[in-house]
Amino acid sequence: MIRWSFIELDEVRSTQEVARGLAAEGAPEGTTVVAKSQVSGTGRLGRRWLSPEGGLYLSFVLRPGQIAHPELATIVSTTAVAEGIEKSTGLAPTIRWPNDVILSGKKLAGVIAEAQASGGVVSSIVVGIGVDCNRRSADLQSLGGEATTVEDELGRPVAIPEVMHSILGSFSVLYARWAAGEDVREEWTRRVATLGKQVLVKLKTEENPFSCTATALEDDGSLSVSLAGRARVIRAEDLEWLREQS
Ligand code: BTN
């Protein structure tokens, strides 16, 4: 089990930046940076993550050693976020590959996992998690109505530390199983909304989006799709965006 230790901050540029710095200085696994707000929160592809007070913003350090497929950190973390939110609030979010936690068709939480490697060996992974908790959708208009919050969905605010500990508890269990060599994709598959769906995919490497059917999650966390009857594998790092069409 992970031994969690917490650095609690009020306002920070980005918990991810702080945790990355601590990881580089040798901080042990479980070192967790939590902030009440961030002025420069970032998501996948360097996108801005709005982080006023009322959200959960945290980043933690992993030292996975020789773990199989370190790329699965995003899949494991996203599963833990969905499960942790469910256990602490009773809401039942789903997952949109690769890193979105969804409720009522809108984004509720996001995950970013950044690996640091030297000599081909992963020395640390910093996982960042943002959950829109105690805010109202009125605050989220700037996101184009594509986001929701725990408070909106529940009709009442939640205790943010409870949500955090629930997520970290779920993560600990999944991580131990992953480290023991178990296949942890099953939990993800039970919660994912993307598989079996017609999806529209936009890759960074291609000009036009294309429509395909999401068919399976590969060992390394890539998504297999079927495109006009032909199989194709999409890597998360190549993805600009993905939308379900049916
Ligand atoms: C995404 O959906 O693109 C991932 C969003 C991750 C946001 C979290 S909030 C805590 C941590 N600090 C950051 O700057 N980013 C992550």
Side-chain angles (χ1 to χ4, degrees):
M1 285 289 163
I2 298 177
R3 290 174 59 130
W4 300 105
S5 64
F6 296 93
I7 297 168
E8 295 179 36
L9 305 169
D10 285 336
E11 185 176 270
V12 73
R13 270 179 55 80
S14 156
T15 58
Q16 197 70 5
E17 275 180 18
V18 178
R20 266 200 312 262
L22 292 171
E25 288 164 10
E29 178 160 274
T31 303
T32 304
V33 181
V34 199
K36 290 199 175 116
S37 65
Q38 304 182 114
V39 292
S40 192
T42 19
R44 229 172 62 82
L45 305 178
R47 289 180 185 134
R48 187 161 172 237
W49 185 263
L50 282 182
S51 313
E53 272 199 41
L56 170 60
Y57 314 109
L58 70 98
S59 299
F60 57 83
V61 177
L62 297 176
R63 301 278 179 197
Q66 295 297 324
I67 207 158
H69 295 300
E71 311 90 322
L72 283 176
T74 303
I75 298 297
V76 171
S77 308
T78 310
T79 307
V81 171
E83 184 180 295
I85 291 174
E86 179 167 344
K87 285 189 173 158
S88 56
T89 67
L91 297 168
T94 58
I95 294 169
R96 179 194 294 140
W97 183 85
N99 70 324
D100 293 341
V101 176
I102 304 290
L103 210 54
S104 308
K106 298 176 180 175
K107 185 153 170 170
L108 177 70
V111 167
I112 187 167
E114 297 174 305
Q116 290 73 39
S118 60
V121 176
V122 173
S123 54
S124 66
I125 300 176
V126 175
V127 175
I129 295 171
V131 185
D132 285 322
C133 291
N134 300 334
R135 298 158 60 189
R136 305 301 302 210
S137 46
D139 301 336
L140 301 167
Q141 291 311 312
S142 58
L143 299 179
E146 288 179 1
T148 189
T149 70
V150 174
E151 182 172 349
D152 268 2
E153 299 291 333
L154 271 186
R156 61 172 169 79
V158 279
I160 294 175
E162 250 177 59
V163 177
M164 177 179 82
H165 287 292
S166 182
I167 290 171
L168 294 181
S170 291
F171 184 87
S172 261
V173 173
L174 279 171
Y175 183 57
R177 291 184 43 208
W178 176 26
E182 280 183 43
D183 189 346
V184 287
R185 288 175 298 166
E186 194 187 318
E187 276 73 10
W188 181 88
T189 304
R190 271 197 275 119
R191 292 182 179 273
V192 74
T194 313
L195 289 190
K197 296 270 170 60
Q198 190 78 14
V199 290
L200 193 63
V201 171
K202 168 74 178 75
L203 297 182
K204 287 191 279 181
T205 45
E206 292 178 20
E207 197 177 337
N208 295 317
F210 57 88
S211 184
C212 54
T213 307
T215 52
L217 184 72
E218 295 296 310
D219 286 357
D220 66 352
S222 300
L223 185 71
S224 282
V225 299
S226 167
L227 179 58
R230 294 176 62 175
R232 179 168 180 182
V233 175
I234 301 173
R235 299 181 322 154
E237 55 267 44
D238 294 333
L239 183 77
E240 194 168 318
W241 50 257
L242 176 149
R243 291 185 198 131
E244 282 112 24
Q245 296 183 293
S246 59

